[in-house]
Amino acid sequence: MDVFKQLETFVSVVNLGSLSAAARQEQVVPAIIGRRLDALEHRLGVKLLVRTTRSIALTQEGSAFYEDCLRILAELDEAESAVASGSGRARGLLRVSAPAGFGRQHVAPHVASFLRKHPDLRIALDLSDRLVDLARDRIDCAIRISDLADSSLIAVRLAENRRVVVASPAYLAQRGMPKTLDDLERHDCLSLGESQSRGWTFKVGGELVNLKVRGALECNDGAVLHDWALQGLGLTWRSMWEVKDDIGEGRLVTVLDKFSSPDYPVYAVVAQRRYLPGRVRLFIEHLREVYAAPGYWD
């Protein structure tokens, strides 16, 4: 059995939390995943995982071995990238993560044209509003819309983006138009839950201010917040790419414009490494080209 396949399977099971989830990702039956783990533990002569029908847990030895596996697999990928960079062809599996709403509208539609240019590639696209750990989740490239606090990542700016506070005309007719930031305390604010724990960001006298907002509703899916705002359930802080059509057609109205937040650009981020795989570099260049096309964001 391929030793590296055993390592990859072990890491996948730990990351996904179950044998069945790892099997679904590889499109094999769970028994195959179990046999790989059994073979790995037998070869090493040590128990790596405590497995029950409902959960898995790393043993002390398994925890240390997991960190070693992450390093080994990353170094293997880097070695392959160094060799393949001179071939001029992109091949293998490209793992991409993006926020759910943005990914559906502005990443997934451009995958087909990228694959037509590079037919030897496969792409696994993960759309989620959770903040992925690139190393732990083995993500090659993550699309993020934010100010980047993690200095361990390499970031490439793909496009500009602005965030605005919006509400439906019906909500504003009922609750009034907020004119100051203090007015937000008297409004229902639809927030992104724990993912937006720092609150909403505004400019006040040239300074950035983060305000904690409150309301009866919160959700970790930005598309749901958007829908709730259209239904007149409150104010929400959204990106212009998401709400510009609703603003243009009068379904949503911007408020507190004089306190507009700073730009939150769209970035492609990758882990620090000596060799950037060609498949990653080409995908980033593809998105930059698409987003830079005249009229794309209009």
Side-chain angles (χ1 to χ4, degrees), residues 87-108:
S87 69
R89 293 182 67 86
R91 56 173 60 91
L93 175 63
L94 174 64
R95 296 182 176 92
V96 179
S97 171
F102 185 85
R104 281 192 295 269
Q105 293 186 43
H106 298 291
V107 180

Side-chain angles (χ1 to χ4, degrees), residues 100-213:
F102 185 85
R104 281 192 295 269
Q105 293 186 43
H106 298 291
V107 180
H110 309 306
V111 165
S113 58
F114 181 67
L115 286 181
R116 282 195 292 271
K117 296 178 183 177
H118 308 285
D120 293 334
L121 272 176
R122 293 178 295 125
I123 294 182
L125 179 60
D126 177 89
L127 299 183
S128 172
D129 287 326
R130 71 183 178 91
L131 191 64
V132 300
D133 183 311
L134 272 67
R136 189 172 299 274
D137 296 329
R138 299 193 66 200
I139 297 296
D140 295 306
C141 176
I143 308 302
R144 292 186 179 168
I145 307 172
S146 65
D147 52 338
L148 297 176
D150 189 346
S151 59
S152 69
L153 300 175
I154 299 173
V156 178
R157 188 181 294 229
L158 298 177
E160 302 304 319
N161 176 61
R162 187 163 63 92
R163 284 185 176 173
V164 291
V165 179
V166 295
S168 71
Y171 174 86
L172 296 173
Q174 181 182 20
R175 300 293 296 275
M177 178 79 72
K179 296 180 180 179
T180 69
L181 299 186
D182 290 338
D183 290 343
L184 290 177
E185 292 188 6
R186 298 187 290 275
H187 282 269
D188 288 321
C189 296
L190 309 169
S191 63
L192 202 57
E194 293 183 1
S195 298
Q196 201 164 285
S197 58
R198 289 184 301 169
W200 297 357
T201 303
F202 299 93
K203 278 184 182 177
V204 180
E207 299 287 332
L208 296 184
V209 175
N210 290 96
L211 288 185
K212 297 283 188 179
V213 296

Side-chain angles (χ1 to χ4, degrees), residues 227-260:
D227 288 341
W228 282 345
L230 290 169
Q231 294 173 41
L233 299 180
L235 303 168
T236 190
W237 189 48
R238 307 307 306 151
S239 290
M240 279 298 292
W241 62 262
E242 183 181 4
V243 297
K244 63 182 178 62
D245 290 341
D246 296 304
I247 294 170
E249 296 176 16
R251 292 186 293 269
L252 292 174
V253 177
T254 62
V255 301
L256 300 171
D257 291 342
K258 66 179 179 180
F259 303 107
S260 61

